[in-house]
């Protein structure tokens, strides 16, 4: 708990001090050191500040300062995961045991540029399976993990990749607010060893913050292979930050890294010292004047050092500006800033932000000149050769289309074999259950509703795993960033830019994380448009429907029909984007800045982790929403029951139909037939209408609903279901109606999870409602056209 949570009259023992270096030092000098008893004496009339008693004297702290002191009450429980072997020899009393155990939890924040291997390090250290993507914007939230090392419990947090700690992008704001609100004990700044000049710019921002830090010199093998020699110990001495070489994809150097984190946390690391990244005499003078005023009011910078705030205020950082407005000296600070900015701009003939960046890069260049030697190529030769073909304006787009066609072919053709094995297993389970259970409604529920419904969806797991494995490989190898590069001009033509392309491609996997990935887009209007067109990207949940109907009606041209469906979704997205940019949000040009990382061969472990992670999500759906939906659909189709025998019921025989359709007027049939007049113009019969309605919560339910509706008393598998769809002289599905059904399912209302994600990311439910209504209208129009054209052939 934090000292600010201590109620009046309560006592607790100090565990550790959070915050930046100078702040921590001042509090420790006041007596707030580990194991000291502190008591909340009383609060001021407005609840701030609070008077505490400590070591025989009283001290006043603001709540914002007390928030940065971690304490433990005498009744505190010992954290899980620790044992007596972790205790210090002199900590015999129970309270000292509790204090020491709480102190032995180290919160570590991973901060670094995109593509620096930060998430790989997180996965290897914590055993997590968070996806590693080789482009900006994959990690859009902080991911947490935990592990033990060296007698300590580590709580490790993977923060979004960012190039600096300004207020320009959502990632930068997220990281800075995390550092402000959570105040981790130690920061691990992950940098790419082969590209230090760029990566160390973020390091200079962290140095300005004066936080406890260790640098992970990641991908150290790439630096060694380049022929360069880096004296990283000397470089660490210049920066005042210990540097540890690591190779996160193999785990090499991570033990040494976390040993160093422990020494930094304990204050025993000799390489640690506080330095200032000098910014030139004129800028330093301006920073010094602002910093002097900030130091006089200690409430404004408990989480950040006054130097960092002074620099950001001088740069007119929007968020720091809001912080400064709380100060009574704000007007005075603005006058000082204006005078100094005018002076700096006049002398340097450039704005202050550019001048500060130039000084920082000058500092970095100087440090590297002193510490790096040997051949150090500025570009990767292999990457340059591959890019000559991959990003070529003649070959780039055809190559990308060919790659996507190959992905769809692999998904359908290779996945067909394990799909058959799973179908056989589901069929055997259904037969066994039918034999072991007595006839009756419960047996019908288990065999037709649960096994038939869920089984008809779970057979498509191999196809989904193959699709995700292919997408993962393209992301991790660096190819996906090239796809965004070559598509930038095309994206501009629809009012967006290349950075929007990544979330759209991610939508082929799942629309929800793809919509969340739009946080990497700086422009709000471009971000909103990208979110609203993302549901037109055909997610993997629709894949079972495609495999079923394409395999039944278009097996001779399966890959081509697959590709055409995905392309149609892209066309619908383009049309929608153009309309939104033309009539809702006017043209909004934003800079297309995206890193093109070097090509890397993805590790098998990373690809399998990502693929299996998505597979687990799919299986969880099987046991959750899809299972419930299958039971509901079965019940609606099973009830109401009739006492008379089937031969006594009214039979609805269709003219020239060799199959007699016996109707028992189930609730599901009533619903389907009530709505079906609206759907008949696009070739849908009532069973197809019911399946489409059932697919609103989750698209996988469409196939399970068809499985329940057509299961009857026969053994059902994918092949049998496909045969039932096309059975009879006037079947429910024909090639024309199947094509229209596919188009409708491709484009209509997004699933509930996607609608919720749209509302959450846009901040308004009206966007989610718009997506549901607009997409369904577009789906109906396109399906009508597809059906009428197909009838002509």
């Amino acid at each position: 708990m934090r000292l600010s949570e201590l109620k009046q009259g309560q006592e607790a023992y100090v565990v550790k001090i959070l915050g930046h270096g100078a702040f921590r030092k001042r509090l420790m000098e006041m007596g707030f050191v580990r194991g000291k008893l502190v008591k909340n004496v009383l609060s001021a009339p407005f609840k701030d500040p609070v008077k505490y008693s400590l070591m025989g004297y009283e001290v006043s702290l603001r709540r914002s300062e007390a928030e940065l002191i971690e304490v433990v009450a005498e009744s505190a429980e010992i954290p899980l995961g620790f044992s007596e072997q972790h205790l210090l020899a002199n900590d015999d009393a129970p309270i000292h045991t509790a204090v020491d155990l709480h102190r032995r939890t180290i919160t570590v924040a991973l901060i670094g540029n995109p593509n620096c291997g930060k998430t790989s390090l997180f996965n290897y250290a914590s055993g997590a399976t968070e996806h590693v993507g080789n482009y900006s914007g994959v990690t859009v939230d902080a991911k947490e993990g935990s592990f033990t090392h060296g007698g300590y419990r580590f709580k490790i947090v993977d923060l979004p990749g960012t190039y600096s700690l300004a207020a320009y992008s959502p990632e930068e704001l997220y990281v800075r607010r995390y550092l402000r609100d959570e105040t981790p004990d130690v920061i691990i700044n992950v940098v790419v060893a082969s590209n230090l000049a760029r990566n160390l710019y973020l390091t200079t921002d962290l140095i300005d913050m004066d936080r406890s830090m260790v640098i992970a010199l990641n991908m150290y093998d790439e630096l060694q292979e380049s022929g360069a020699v880096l004296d990283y110990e000397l470089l660490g001495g210049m920066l005042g930050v210990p540097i540890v070489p690591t190779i996160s994809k193999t785990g090499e150097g991570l033990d040494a890294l976390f040993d160093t984190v422990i020494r930094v946390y304990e204050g025993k690391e000799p390489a640690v010292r506080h330095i200032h990244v000098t910014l030139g005499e004129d800028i330093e003078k301006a920073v010094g004047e602002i910093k002097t005023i900030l130091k006089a009011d200690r409430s404004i910078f408990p989480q950040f050092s006054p130097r960092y705030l002074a620099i950001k205020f001088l740069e007119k950082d929007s968020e720091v500006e809001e912080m400064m407005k709380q100060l009574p000296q704000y007007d005075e600070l603005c006058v000082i800033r204006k005078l100094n900015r005018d002076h700096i701009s006049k002398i340097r003939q450039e704005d202050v932000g550019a001048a500060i960046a130039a000084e920082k890069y000058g500092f970095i260049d100087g440090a590297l000149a002193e510490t790096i030697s040997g051949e150090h190529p500025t570009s990767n030769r292999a990457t340059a050769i591959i890019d000559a073909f991959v990003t070529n304006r003649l070959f780039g787009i055809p190559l990308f289309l060919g790659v996507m066609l190959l992905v769809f072919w692999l998904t359908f053709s290779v996945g067909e074999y394990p799909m058959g094995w799973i179908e056989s297993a589901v069929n055997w389970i259904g037969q066994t259950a039918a034999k072991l259970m007595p006839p009756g409604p419960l047996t019908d529920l288990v065999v037709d509703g649960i096994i038939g419904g869920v089984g008809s969806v779970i057979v498509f797991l191999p196809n989904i795993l193959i699709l995700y494995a292919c997408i993962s490989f393209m992301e991790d190898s660096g190819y996906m960033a090239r796809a965004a590069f070559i598509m930038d001009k095309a994206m501009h033509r629809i009012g967006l830019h290349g950075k929007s392309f990544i979330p759209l491609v991610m939508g082929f996997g799942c629309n929800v994380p793809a919509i969340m990935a739009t946080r990497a887009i700086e422009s709000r209007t471009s971000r909103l448009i990208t979110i609203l067109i993302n549901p037109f990207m055909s997610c993997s949940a629709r894949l079972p429907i495609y495999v079923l109907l394409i395999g039944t009606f278009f097996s001779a041209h399966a890959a081509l029909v697959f590709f055409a469906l995905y392309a149609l979704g892209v066309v619908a997205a383009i049309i929608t984007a153009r309309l939104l940019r033309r009539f809702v949000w006017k043209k909004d040009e934003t800079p297309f800045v995206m890193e093109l990382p070097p090509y890397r061969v993805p590790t098998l472990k990373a690809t399998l982790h990502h693929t299996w992670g998505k597979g687990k999500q799919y299986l969880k759906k099987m046991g959750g929403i899809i299972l419930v939906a299958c039971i509901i659909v079965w019940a609606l189709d099973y009830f109401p029951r009739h006492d008379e025998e089937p031969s006594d019921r009214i039979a609805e025989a269709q003219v020239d139909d060799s199959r007699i359709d016996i109707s028992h007027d189930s609730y599901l049939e009533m619903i389907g037939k009530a709505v079906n007049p609206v759907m008949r113009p696009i070739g849908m019969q009532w069973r197809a209408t019911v399946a489409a309605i059932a697919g609103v919560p989750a698209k996988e339910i469409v196939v399970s609903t068809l499985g329940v509706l057509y299961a009857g008393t026969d053994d059902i598998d994918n092949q049998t279901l496909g045969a039932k769809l096309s059975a009879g002289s006037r079947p429910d599905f024909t090639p024309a109606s199947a094509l229209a059904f596919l188009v409708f399912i491709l484009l209509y209302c997004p699933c509930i999870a996607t609608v919720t994600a749209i509302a959450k990311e846009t901040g308004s439910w009206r966007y989610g409602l718009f997506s549901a209504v607009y997409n369904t209208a577009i789906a109906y129009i396109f399906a009508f056209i597809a059906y009428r054209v197909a009838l002509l052939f």
Side-chain angles (χ1 to χ4, degrees):
M1 65 183 294
R2 301 295 173 89
L3 182 59
S4 57
E5 301 173 36
L6 207 63
K7 300 186 183 307
Q8 186 169 325
Q10 284 188 330
E11 296 180 334
Y13 290 85
V14 176
V15 176
K16 57 188 174 185
I17 310 298
L18 309 174
H20 65 84
F23 173 77
R24 292 179 72 248
K25 184 178 179 182
R26 177 166 60 85
L27 284 179
M28 286 189 289
E29 289 171 348
M30 295 170 63
F32 288 92
V33 294
R34 180 170 66 96
K36 295 299 181 183
L37 184 65
V38 59
K39 180 180 180 180
N40 181 328
V41 178
L42 60 88
S43 301
F46 294 103
K47 304 298 182 182
D48 205 8
V50 180
K51 184 166 67 173
Y52 299 95
S53 64
L54 174 76
M55 297 177 63
Y57 77 103
E58 294 181 340
V59 59
S60 172
L61 291 180
R62 295 178 184 268
R63 290 191 178 273
S64 58
E65 296 173 320
E67 174 68 21
L68 298 176
I69 301 175
E70 191 171 321
V71 298
V72 59
E74 193 160 6
S75 60
E77 296 182 0
I78 295 177
L80 295 175
F82 291 99
S83 61
E84 291 298 324
Q85 64 183 359
H86 296 140
L87 306 182
L88 299 179
N90 60 350
D91 286 342
D92 296 326
I95 187 58
H96 289 295
T97 297
V99 169
D100 191 64
L101 290 176
H102 279 78
R103 183 185 67 86
R104 284 180 172 266
T105 297
I106 304 177
T107 301
V108 174
L110 298 179
I111 299 178
N113 289 181
N115 311 307
C116 66
K118 180 170 49 63
T119 305
S120 294
L121 192 156
F122 170 83
N123 286 343
Y124 200 97
S126 66
T129 55
E130 179 59 25
H131 174 41
V132 185
N134 200 21
Y135 55 83
S136 173
V138 175
T139 309
V140 294
D141 256 328
K143 305 298 186 298
E144 295 186 4
S146 62
F147 62 97
T148 57
H149 177 84
Y152 282 82
R153 178 178 179 270
F154 281 81
K155 176 185 173 185
I156 187 168
V157 183
D158 178 22
L159 294 171
T162 178
Y163 292 103
S164 72
L165 294 178
Y168 178 66
S169 71
E171 292 97 338
E172 291 167 346
L173 280 174
Y174 189 98
V175 172
R176 193 162 70 179
R177 287 171 181 172
Y178 176 87
L179 293 177
R180 179 193 67 194
D181 299 335
E182 303 299 329
T183 56
D185 298 312
V186 180
I187 293 169
I188 294 181
N189 178 208
V190 185
V191 302
V192 178
S194 58
N195 197 351
L196 288 172
R198 187 208 63 199
N199 279 246
L200 288 177
Y201 187 84
L202 175 60
T203 307
T204 62
D205 274 358
L206 294 169
I207 289 173
D208 289 336
M209 278 191 174
D210 193 17
R211 292 293 186 87
S212 297
M213 181 166 58
V214 177
I215 294 176
L217 191 65
N218 204 27
M219 304 179 192
Y220 190 64
D221 52 334
E222 294 183 6
L223 177 69
Q224 292 174 316
E225 291 170 4
S226 72
V229 177
L230 174 67
D231 188 343
Y232 58 84
E233 291 183 351
L234 177 59
L235 179 60
M238 291 180 174
L239 299 175
V241 181
I243 298 178
V244 182
T246 61
I247 306 174
S248 61
K249 65 182 180 182
T250 64
E252 186 175 337
L254 296 193
D255 285 343
L257 176 67
F258 291 111
D259 287 340
T260 307
V261 169
I262 291 173
R263 290 197 300 272
V264 170
Y265 176 70
E266 293 282 10
K268 298 175 181 178
E269 174 55 49
V272 173
R273 66 187 182 93
H274 179 55
I275 69 163
H276 284 174
V277 178
T278 54
L279 303 175
E281 185 177 349
D282 50 348
I283 298 177
E284 287 293 342
K285 176 178 175 295
V287 170
E289 291 180 14
I290 297 171
K291 187 172 72 172
T292 300
I293 296 176
L294 294 180
K295 279 188 172 182
D297 188 342
R298 67 189 190 193
S299 67
I300 195 66
F301 59 89
Q303 301 92 346
F304 299 131
S305 72
R307 177 178 175 82
Y308 173 79
L309 292 175
I311 293 171
K312 293 303 175 186
F313 181 71
L314 188 63
E315 291 177 328
K316 288 192 171 181
D317 182 280
S318 58
E319 191 162 79
V320 171
E321 187 83 18
E322 291 300 315
M323 293 172 64
M324 296 302 184
K325 286 180 181 178
Q326 306 171 20
L327 291 177
Q329 304 94 334
Y330 175 69
D331 292 337
E332 180 187 355
L333 287 168
C334 288
V335 172
I336 294 173
R337 178 175 63 183
K338 185 179 186 310
L339 291 174
N340 281 284
R341 283 179 63 92
D342 292 344
H343 176 69
I344 294 168
S345 298
K346 182 178 180 181
I347 292 176
R348 299 192 178 226
Q349 296 297 304
E350 62 181 348
D351 66 79
V352 173
I356 291 175
E359 289 288 349
K360 288 192 170 186
Y361 276 116
F363 171 85
I364 293 167
D365 291 341
L368 293 179
E370 293 277 344
T371 56
I372 199 166
S373 61
E375 183 183 359
H376 188 220
T378 56
S379 62
N380 187 303
R381 180 172 175 79
T383 293
I385 293 174
I386 298 173
D387 274 347
F389 294 93
V390 170
T391 62
N392 185 279
R393 70 180 191 175
L394 294 178
F395 307 130
I397 293 179
L399 180 62
F400 174 70
L401 295 177
V403 168
M404 296 307 295
L405 190 59
L406 175 63
V407 169
F408 300 141
W409 178 83
L410 288 172
T411 299
F412 185 83
S413 300
V414 178
E416 187 174 358
Y417 298 100
M419 187 175 71
W421 304 334
I422 297 176
E423 281 179 345
S424 299
V426 171
N427 186 30
W428 178 83
I429 293 171
Q431 291 176 340
T432 303
K435 292 176 181 177
L436 295 177
M437 299 179 69
L442 180 60
T443 301
D444 293 341
L445 169 62
V446 173
V447 175
D448 298 334
I450 297 176
I451 298 176
V454 176
S456 63
V457 180
I458 202 170
V459 296
F460 300 103
L461 178 63
N463 306 88
I464 288 173
L465 293 179
I466 292 171
L467 177 63
Y468 270 116
C470 292
I471 292 177
S472 173
F473 185 87
M474 289 191 292
E475 291 171 347
D476 297 345
S477 67
Y479 177 71
M480 198 68 84
R482 270 68 184 184
F485 175 76
I486 63 178
M487 294 299 294
D488 180 51
K489 189 172 183 179
M491 298 299 290
H492 270 289
R493 291 185 182 276
I494 65 173
L496 299 172
H497 56 76
K499 212 166 188 178
S500 298
F501 184 73
I502 297 273
L504 295 179
V505 175
M506 288 179 68
F508 290 140
C510 179
N511 296 135
V512 175
I515 288 170
M516 294 174 66
T518 60
R519 298 176 189 177
I521 302 172
E522 290 83 5
S523 165
R524 173 166 170 78
T525 59
S526 292
R527 183 168 174 254
L528 287 173
I529 293 175
T530 307
I531 288 173
L532 292 175
I533 67 175
N534 201 285
F536 289 121
M537 302 298 105
S538 185
C539 68
S540 61
R542 297 175 173 93
L543 194 60
I545 311 165
Y546 300 162
V547 173
L548 173 64
L549 292 178
I550 292 175
T552 301
F553 296 98
F554 311 104
S555 58
H557 308 285
L560 185 60
V561 177
F562 257 102
F563 185 82
L565 280 173
Y566 281 75
L568 180 61
V570 173
V571 169
I574 291 173
I575 293 172
T576 302
R578 292 280 292 178
L579 291 173
L580 290 173
R581 186 60 83 186
R582 176 70 175 83
F583 296 107
V584 183
W585 296 292
K586 302 303 180 181
K587 193 173 183 180
D588 180 18
E589 291 288 348
T590 55
F592 173 52
V593 181
M594 177 173 286
E595 179 189 2
L596 295 179
Y599 289 100
R600 298 187 178 96
V601 179
T603 62
L604 180 62
K605 180 180 178 181
T607 302
L608 291 178
H609 270 174
H610 177 214
T611 304
W612 178 236
K614 296 302 180 182
K616 284 198 298 185
Q617 291 180 12
Y618 188 72
L619 291 174
K620 285 180 180 178
K621 272 189 176 182
M622 299 302 101
I625 187 172
I626 292 176
L627 174 61
V628 174
C630 287
I631 294 173
I632 293 173
V633 170
W634 173 86
L636 290 173
D637 186 49
Y638 194 81
F639 297 103
R641 303 302 292 167
H642 297 273
D643 294 333
E644 60 268 26
E645 293 298 317
S647 58
D648 299 328
R649 301 180 200 157
I650 299 175
E652 294 179 356
Q654 297 176 344
V655 180
D656 71 1
D657 191 351
S658 59
R659 183 189 64 195
I660 302 298
D661 183 14
I662 303 297
S663 171
H664 63 272
D665 297 325
S666 69
Y667 294 125
L668 201 59
E669 185 174 349
M670 295 176 194
I671 295 171
K673 289 182 176 179
V675 178
N676 202 62
V678 179
M679 310 302 291
R680 192 170 291 120
I682 61 175
M684 289 172 60
Q685 301 302 318
W686 72 267
R687 289 184 179 86
T689 300
V690 168
I693 294 172
V696 172
K699 296 298 177 282
E700 296 96 337
I701 299 175
V702 173
V703 171
S704 63
T705 300
L706 292 174
V708 171
L709 291 175
Y710 285 94
T713 58
D714 299 328
D715 298 326
I716 195 76
D717 57 24
N718 189 50
Q719 186 175 357
T720 306
L721 179 56
K724 283 176 175 280
L725 297 181
S726 55
S729 59
R730 294 187 61 184
D732 285 351
F733 284 93
T734 64
S737 64
L739 182 63
F741 186 75
L742 286 170
V743 171
F744 187 80
I745 294 298
L746 165 72
L747 301 175
Y748 85 125
C749 174
C751 69
I752 291 176
T754 300
V755 172
T756 303
I758 291 172
K760 180 181 176 182
E761 293 300 314
T762 59
S764 173
W765 277 98
R766 62 177 179 154
Y767 291 110
L769 180 61
F770 168 82
S771 182
V773 175
Y774 172 82
N775 288 26
T776 303
I778 288 290
Y780 192 91
I781 294 170
F782 275 75
F784 180 84
I785 295 172
Y787 182 60
R788 295 302 163 182
V789 171
L791 287 177
L792 298 177
F793 298 95

